[in-house]
Amino acid sequence: MQPNPEHIRTIANRYAANLALCFPLRRASLQLARAVHANIITFGFHPRAHILNRLIDVYCKSSELAYARHLFDEIPEPDRIARTTMVSGYSASGDIPLARSVFDETPLSVRDTVMYNAMITGLAHAGDGYSAASTFLEMKRGGFRPDNFTFASVLSGLAHVAEEERECVRQFHAAAVKSGACSVTSVTNALVSVYSKFDLLHSARRVFDEISEKDERTWTSMMTGYVKNGFFDSGVELLEGMMDERMKLVAYNALISGYVHGGLFKEALVMVRRMVWSGIELDAFTYPSVLRACATSGLLQVGKEVHAYALRRGEFSFHLDNSLVSLYYKCGKFDEARAVFDKMPERDLVSWNALLSGYVSSGHIGEAKLLFKEMGEKKNMLTWMIMISGLADNGFGEEGLRLFACMRNEGFEPCDYAFSGVIKSCAVLGGYCNGQQFHAQLVKIGFESSLSSANALITMYARCGVVEEARRVFMTMPCKDSVSWNALIAALGQHGHGAEAVDVYEEMLKEGIKPDRITFLTVLTACSHAGLVDQGRRYFDSMESVYCIPPGADHYSRLIDLLCRSGRFSEAESVIKSLPFEPTAQIWEALLSGCRVYGNMELGIVAAEKLFELIPEHDGTYMLLSNMYAATGKWEEAARVRKLMRDRGVKKELACSWIEVETQVHKFLVDDTSHPEAEAVYSYLQELGKEMRRLGYVPDTNFVLHDVESDGHKQDMLITHSEKIAVAFGLMKLPPGRAIRVFKNLRTCGDCHNFFVYLSRVVQRDIVLRDRKRFHHFRNGECSCGNFW
DNA sequence: GTAGGGTTAG
C-alpha cells in the first residue's frame, strides 16, 4: 500500500518537529521516513529541505545509513545541516571513510563549527586521536572557532594517542582554558578522563577538585581513573566523601567494574553488598559487572540471586540479559541460558553471540550451527570468530578453514583474534601449508606479535609436527603470557622432548610466571612421555601445596598415565583408591591403556569393567580390551569382547587419515577407494610393501582384528590401513626431500609403525605421523619415540 | 545537525 503524497505531506509536517524526541516516536518516524522515501521513488514527491533533513537524521539514528544516503543523494544541493547530519551519522556508526568523504566534499564556505565537531567526534570515537587533533588544527587555520563541543571531543580523542605524546594533553588543556571552554563540565570531564588514562592522576584530581558542578560523568571519570590504575583505596576514599545518592550509585558502578576488570571478584561482590546496605539499589550498569564476577568465579548461586533481584525490579536491558545468558552457560546451565535468551523481549547481536559461544564452548556444535545459520546477515567479526574457533576446538578444522574464507568473502577483514581461530583450525587439521600462509599474512599486516595469534601459531606448528618453528615463534615474541609458555611446553612434550619441556617449565617459574592448571597438564604429559616419573610426581604434588591449584580429574588421569607407563601399577592403584572424588572415565582409560602396554590383564579388566559401566557407548574400551586379548593370542576372548560390542550396538569409530598437499587436504578411510587417484595409490602401496618385505619387514597380523581365516588375507587388510594410504599418497605427490606429515583420528597400530620405520629408510624421507595420542617421527629407519606405544 | 563516563558476547 502506497500512502498518497498529500497524506504524507501532512504527517511529515506534523512529525517533523518531534522526530528526534523519544523512542516510540522515533520508531514511528522510521516508518514515516520509509513511506516518504517510497513516495519519492514512485511519485516524485519532494518534501521541503528541513523535513528531508529530519528524515535523514531518523535513518541515521536508526542505523539505516544506506537509506539515509539514498535520501541525501536525492537532494540536488544539500545544505550545511544535511551534510552535518550525514557526517555525524557515519561518524556514529564508525564509518570514518564515508564521514570523511561527505565532509571533504563540503566547500569551506559551507562548513561551520558544528560540522567540524561532528567530524572530530567521529575520529575521536574511532580512536584516531591524531586525525582528531589535526582536524582541530585545520579548523583553526580555516578561521573557525572551536567551542565546548570541539574541546570535549578532541580531548577524548587524545586518550588514544601514544604514551610519548601525552604532553599534548596539557597543551590542549591550556588552549581550552584560554578559550574559556574549561568552565563547562563536559570539557573538564573529558580532561579528568584523559589525564587518568595517561596515569596523570594528580592532574586529573586537580581538574576534578575545581569542577564546581560535578555530574555523573565527573564522578565516574575520576573513579575510573583511580581503579583502572589500581588505586582502589583512593577510589573507596572518594566514595566515602560523597553525599548525593545518584552520584554515589555511578561511583559504586565504576568502582565495582574496576574490581571486576582487575580480576578482584570477591572485592567487587563485597562492594555490591555495601552498596545495597547503604540503601542504594543496583542499576542497569551494575548488573553486568556483578554477573561477570559471578560467572568467572563460578558463583552460580549469587548470580541467581542477582537475577531474582533484577526480575523483582522488572528491569530490562540488553546488557542485563546478555550477562545472564553468559552467566548460565559459563556455569554449565545451558537450559537456563537458552531460557533467558528465549524470554528476551528483544535481542541484539551480543545476545546471539553470547548464546552461540555458550553452545560452542559446551560442544553443542549442532545447535551452534543452526543458530549461526539463523543469524543470517546479522553477524559481526566476533560471530565468525566464535564459530571458527569453536569448530576448531571441537575438531572441525576443515570447516573452520572454510568458514574463514566465507568470512573474508563477506567483506570482514579478520582481526588478530580471528586469525588465532583459523590457525587453531590448521592445528587441528595439521594444515602446515595453510598455517604457514596465515602466518605470512599475519606478518604482512603486522599482527605477528599479537599474543593470541602467536600463541595459536606455537600450537599450530607443534601440532603439525614442526617443533623448531613452534620454538622460533616463542623466541621472537616480545611479550609472553602463561598461554605462550604452556603452548611451548606442550609442543616439546608432545614430540618426546620431555626433559627440555621440563627445563622450559623451570625457566617459566624463574621468570615469575605463575603456572596454571593447564601448565600442569602439559608438564605432566611431558614427564609421562619422557618417562620422568618421579619428577612428574613431584610436580603433581606441588600443585596444591605450592600453587593452591587443586588437581582435577584430568590431572589425576595424567598422573595415572605417568605411573602406568613405567609399570608402577600398585602406585597407580593406590592413587585411584585415595582420590578425593569418584574416579572418572578418563582416569580408568589412562589405567586401561597403561595395562595394555604391559599386558596387565588383571587390572586391565577391572578398568574395562568400570568403563563399560560409565561409558558403555564408547568404542575405545572394547577395542583396547579386545586388542589386549588378541596381543596375547586369546582370540576367543577377543572375539567375545567384539561380540559384546556388537550386541550393545556400539559402532567403531571409522579410522581416517589425512594429508595436506599444497594447502589441499586429502582424506582416506580404511580400504578407501573413493579418492580419485585411489587405484594408483594402491598399486604404489603394494609395490612399496613388496620392496620392504625384501628388506626384512614382516607384516604383524596380530593387529588385524577382523575374523579372517587366511594369513594372506590379513596382510591385505593391513596394507589398506588409512595411514599407509595417506603416506603413499604423500610420497607420490610431494616433491622429493619434503617431509610427509600424516594425521590420523585414532591411534595407529604397531604394524603401521613398523612399516613406516622401514619405509623412512627405503624412500629416505622424514615421515611424521600424528595419531590420536601422540607424534611419531620416522627418519632413516628409526622412530624418535622408540617403542610405538 | 555536534560533546564528556561507566556495562554485555572471545
Side-chain angles (χ1 to χ4, degrees), chain A residues 61 81 123 147 190 234 254 301 312 340 389 398 440 447 452-453 565 594 623 640 651 657 669 720:
Chain A
K61 293 207 166 81
I81 293 176
L123 293 165
D147 62 6
S234 307
Q301 213 38 53
R312 273 202 303 279
V340 172
S389 155
E398 255 178 308
F447 278 161
S452 56
S453 310
R565 265 172 201 273
M623 300 310 295
R640 195 180 53 80
K651 288 265 177 301
S657 298
L669 308 172
T720 58

Side-chain angles (χ1 to χ4, degrees), chain A residues 253-297:
Chain A
N253 283 345
L255 183 58
I256 291 165
S257 123
Y259 278 130
V260 174
H261 264 280
L264 303 166
F265 304 123
K266 221 189 277 165
E267 287 79 356
L269 292 175
V270 168
M271 212 36 83
V272 176
R273 225 159 273 146
R274 216 212 257 193
M275 167 175 181
V276 176
W277 280 335
S278 61
I280 299 173
E281 304 211 299
L282 316 193
D283 80 348
F285 282 91
T286 330
Y287 296 124
S289 299
V290 189
L291 291 171
R292 193 170 125 190
C294 297
T296 2
S297 43

Side-chain angles (χ1 to χ4, degrees), chain A residues 365-649:
Chain A
I365 285 294
E367 281 100 329
K369 280 186 186 165
L370 280 178
L371 202 69
F372 187 77
K373 213 167 172 185
E374 206 181 324
M375 287 176 75
E377 294 288 300
K378 55 169 186 273
K379 296 187 190 101
N380 64 0
M381 167 80 73
L382 193 57
T383 319
W384 289 92
M385 261 179 43
I386 293 170
M387 200 61 209
I388 293 169
S389 155
L391 284 168
D393 285 336
N394 288 281
F396 301 101
E398 255 178 308
E399 287 185 50
L401 277 180
R402 262 204 302 278
L403 212 57
F404 188 77
C406 284
M407 178 181 99
R408 285 186 148 173
N409 279 340
E410 296 201 5
F412 287 95
E413 270 311 307
C415 61
D416 61 336
Y417 232 102
F419 269 104
S420 76
V422 76
I423 291 169
K424 202 152 60 172
S425 301
C426 298
V428 168
L429 205 55
Y432 181 51
C433 298
N434 279 298
Q436 273 183 318
Q437 286 189 358
F438 290 124
H439 190 172
Q441 290 169 25
L442 281 174
V443 172
K444 207 169 143 197
I445 47 182
F447 278 161
E448 85 266 35
S449 48
S450 132
L451 255 181
S452 56
S453 310
N455 288 344
L457 282 172
I458 298 176
T459 306
M460 183 273 291
Y461 282 125
R463 301 264 288 152
C464 290
V466 200
V467 200
E468 317 83 62
E469 284 292 334
R471 201 190 327 236
R472 197 170 309 150
V473 172
F474 180 85
M475 292 305 193
T476 54
M477 284 173 76
C479 47
K480 309 170 177 93
D481 63 359
S482 63
V483 181
S484 329
W485 289 88
N486 294 349
L488 184 65
I489 297 169
L492 295 165
Q494 282 159 358
H495 290 277
H497 310 300
E500 206 183 326
V502 168
D503 287 346
V504 172
Y505 171 65
E506 293 289 346
E507 204 183 317
M508 170 178 176
L509 297 183
K510 268 190 223 129
E511 297 261 326
I513 312 281
K514 239 183 94 171
D516 54 24
R517 40 188 324 284
I518 309 290
T519 316
F520 286 105
L521 288 180
T522 61
V523 171
L524 289 169
T525 310
C527 289
S528 166
H529 284 179
L532 303 166
V533 189
D534 293 316
Q535 204 164 355
R537 181 90 220 218
R538 272 202 303 281
Y539 288 139
F540 182 90
D541 292 337
S542 75
M543 283 184 70
E544 186 128 40
S545 60
V546 184
Y547 301 101
C548 304
I549 304 172
D554 37 4
H555 296 102
Y556 275 104
S557 80
R558 301 298 200 284
L559 179 65
I560 302 296
D561 186 69
L562 179 75
L563 295 168
C564 292
R565 265 172 201 273
S566 46
R568 287 154 71 161
F569 288 104
S570 53
E571 237 176 301
E573 269 188 281
S574 69
V575 169
I576 292 181
K577 280 198 189 108
S578 62
L579 280 181
F581 47 82
E582 277 300 303
T584 60
Q586 204 183 2
I587 288 170
W588 292 118
E589 268 181 325
L591 184 66
L592 177 59
S593 56
C595 292
R596 159 74 169 102
V597 180
Y598 282 88
N600 185 338
M601 220 55 188
E602 204 182 321
L603 201 55
I605 291 170
V606 175
E609 290 299 337
K610 292 283 184 190
L611 283 167
F612 287 148
E613 275 171 37
L614 288 169
I615 40 169
E617 70 290 348
H618 179 63
D619 60 334
T621 315
Y622 302 88
M623 300 310 295
L624 263 174
L625 189 61
S626 116
N627 263 321
M628 272 177 87
Y629 283 125
T632 48
K634 295 182 176 162
W635 292 98
E636 273 170 34
E637 294 291 314
R640 195 180 53 80
V641 174
R642 287 199 305 281
K643 183 170 181 305
L644 184 67
M645 184 173 174
R646 268 196 307 277
D647 291 348
R648 290 185 181 172

Side-chain angles (χ1 to χ4, degrees), chain A residues 287-357:
Chain A
Y287 296 124
S289 299
V290 189
L291 291 171
R292 193 170 125 190
C294 297
T296 2
S297 43
L299 297 168
L300 177 61
Q301 213 38 53
V302 184
K304 278 185 170 168
E305 280 165 35
V306 176
H307 187 177
Y309 179 97
L311 280 180
R312 273 202 303 279
R313 309 214 21 205
E315 294 199 47
F316 169 75
S317 84
F318 289 121
H319 293 286
L320 167 59
D321 278 357
N322 294 342
S323 303
L324 283 168
V325 170
S326 92
L327 164 80
Y328 284 121
Y329 87 70
K330 279 186 185 150
C331 294
K333 304 286 174 197
F334 305 109
D335 294 342
E336 277 93 334
R338 180 78 213 205
V340 172
F341 180 85
D342 286 338
K343 268 195 219 120
M344 287 176 77
E346 278 185 89
R347 300 173 191 96
D348 66 2
L349 188 50
V350 179
S351 329
W352 289 87
N353 283 346
L355 190 65
L356 184 70
S357 105

